[in-house]
Amino acid sequence: MTTVDHNTPELVAPDLNFIAYVRGIIRLILLVALLLGGSAIYIIVRMFEWPLLGKKRPVSGYITKLVCQVSLLIIGLKLFVSGRPMNKKGAIVSNHISWLDIFVLNSQARMYFVAKSEVSAWPIIGWLANLTGTIFIRRNKLYAKSQIKLFEDCLIEGQRVLFFPEGTSSDGVRVLPFKSTLFESFFGESLKDLVFVQPASISYFTPHSKDTRFYAWFGDMSFAKHFFWVLSSKSKGHVKLRFHPALKVNKFNNRKQLTEACFSEVKEGFTLGSKEVKGG
């Protein structure tokens, strides 16, 4: 949320009547209750998991998946999935449109998110990210080497991670160019012959009469306002998540080639969704 495209018109806030406010508040109460209850169970399970298995989450990971699945039901966003998340060692990379992406992706795969350090301070999302073991990095060239080392260590331990190579969220009508920095982590001598990278595409389909970017959270938009807009919406939209075939890292000569291959797959999957929207 650090990049602003001044060529993109500002998303106009929807008009909320009394019924919409009540709807939003009810959903907010249900969502907070679910997240608090799920977090309490997660913490208790991790108290037993951590001493025995460390960062591996054979049980608590399923708690996260279930909580995110129910969260999408409360929010009123129907999810359609094609393909399956890989069970190989490595990373999943996806385009980034909204804070909703966290619920969408976590509802399908047990993995650790990689996020910029600012996310840890965000309301609700930051708390959940810290609780579930998100790997926080600083998007600064001065820290590039240390961030890559941190990333390598996670992969060596067998953790499956997910990150957004765009580096920021888009307006939901395109896929932004991928940054290749973190892809360098896969080419270490101890990893390149062992790990895979799986591209995934997310496409949101807006409720009738809403702005096509309704679910996108981008630019300088307030998280609290956008969060409540989505919760208060009467019309239900949907989201499509497409998992592409996993790519073996050692099939590529360098991070640039791997980055471009992932970008092409994600963009293709996203374009299919966009065509469906235009077609009605």
Side-chain angles (χ1 to χ4, degrees):
M1 293 294 294
T2 57
T3 300
V4 181
D5 185 348
H6 296 286
N7 295 318
T8 301
E10 183 179 352
L11 183 62
V12 178
D15 293 327
L16 301 180
N17 54 29
F18 176 76
I19 299 298
Y21 272 109
V22 172
R23 184 186 304 115
I25 291 171
I26 291 174
R27 285 179 174 170
L28 178 61
I29 292 171
L30 291 174
L31 190 59
V32 170
L34 171 66
L35 295 177
L36 288 176
S39 297
I41 297 172
Y42 181 92
I43 291 171
I44 292 171
V45 171
R46 284 301 286 159
M47 288 174 61
F48 295 94
E49 269 187 336
W50 182 263
L52 298 173
L53 301 168
K55 292 184 178 180
K56 294 182 179 180
R57 302 180 298 176
V59 179
S60 60
Y62 285 105
I63 296 172
T64 301
K65 284 182 63 176
L66 179 60
V67 167
C68 288
Q69 289 168 0
V70 178
S71 295
L72 291 175
L73 291 176
I74 292 173
I75 291 169
L77 187 63
K78 192 168 185 178
L79 172 62
F80 297 92
V81 182
S82 59
R84 298 181 64 180
M86 67 178 187
N87 56 12
K88 302 178 177 70
K89 179 185 295 186
I92 296 173
V93 297
S94 170
N95 59 313
H96 188 23
I97 299 172
S98 174
W99 51 270
L100 287 161
D101 299 345
I102 297 173
F103 292 100
V104 170
L105 290 161
N106 261 329
S107 73
Q108 299 302 307
R110 292 177 296 134
M111 55 198 167
Y112 286 93
F113 272 80
V114 178
K116 58 187 180 182
S117 56
E118 295 92 328
V119 173
S120 64
W122 288 355
I124 301 179
I125 299 298
W127 172 63
L128 290 173
N130 280 283
L131 179 64
T132 54
T134 297
I135 304 165
F136 294 108
I137 61 173
R138 298 183 183 183
R139 297 191 181 278
N140 186 312
K141 291 182 179 180
L142 295 175
Y143 300 95
K145 288 186 178 180
S146 62
Q147 306 293 0
I148 290 174
K149 178 64 168 59
L150 173 64
F151 204 53
E152 286 179 344
D153 291 343
C154 293
L155 293 170
I156 290 172
E157 290 177 6
Q159 299 175 33
R160 191 163 68 250
V161 301
L162 181 142
F163 66 96
F164 302 114
E166 290 166 299
T168 188
S169 52
S170 73
D171 57 9
V173 297
R174 55 185 169 165
V175 178
L176 301 176
F178 281 9
K179 301 179 187 300
S180 65
T181 304
L182 286 179
F183 286 88
E184 182 66 31
S185 308
F186 306 125
F187 288 89
E189 290 300 322
S190 59
L191 285 176
K192 65 180 181 180
D193 294 327
L194 301 176
V195 298
F196 292 76
V197 179
Q198 182 177 33
S201 303
I202 299 178
S203 301
Y204 288 92
F205 299 86
T206 305
H208 179 66
S209 79
K210 301 288 186 183
D211 189 305
T212 56
R213 302 163 299 159
F214 179 74
Y215 287 118
W217 181 47
F218 61 99
D220 290 328
M221 293 170 61
S222 163
F223 169 77
K225 287 183 179 179
H226 188 262
F227 185 77
F228 197 74
W229 295 351
V230 173
L231 290 185
S232 62
S233 175
K234 178 182 179 181
S235 302
K236 294 183 178 181
H238 66 277
V239 55
K240 285 194 174 183
L241 173 60
R242 180 183 178 187
F243 289 102
H244 301 276
L247 305 174
K248 187 71 179 292
V249 169
N250 63 9
K251 300 294 184 181
F252 298 87
N253 294 325
N254 53 56
R255 71 180 188 186
K256 297 288 186 180
Q257 288 184 3
L258 179 57
T259 303
E260 184 58 35
C262 290
F263 175 75
S264 296
E265 291 283 350
V266 172
K267 187 176 181 181
E268 179 192 1
F270 177 79
T271 301
L272 290 174
S274 298
K275 286 181 179 178
E276 179 176 311
V277 172
K278 293 176 182 177

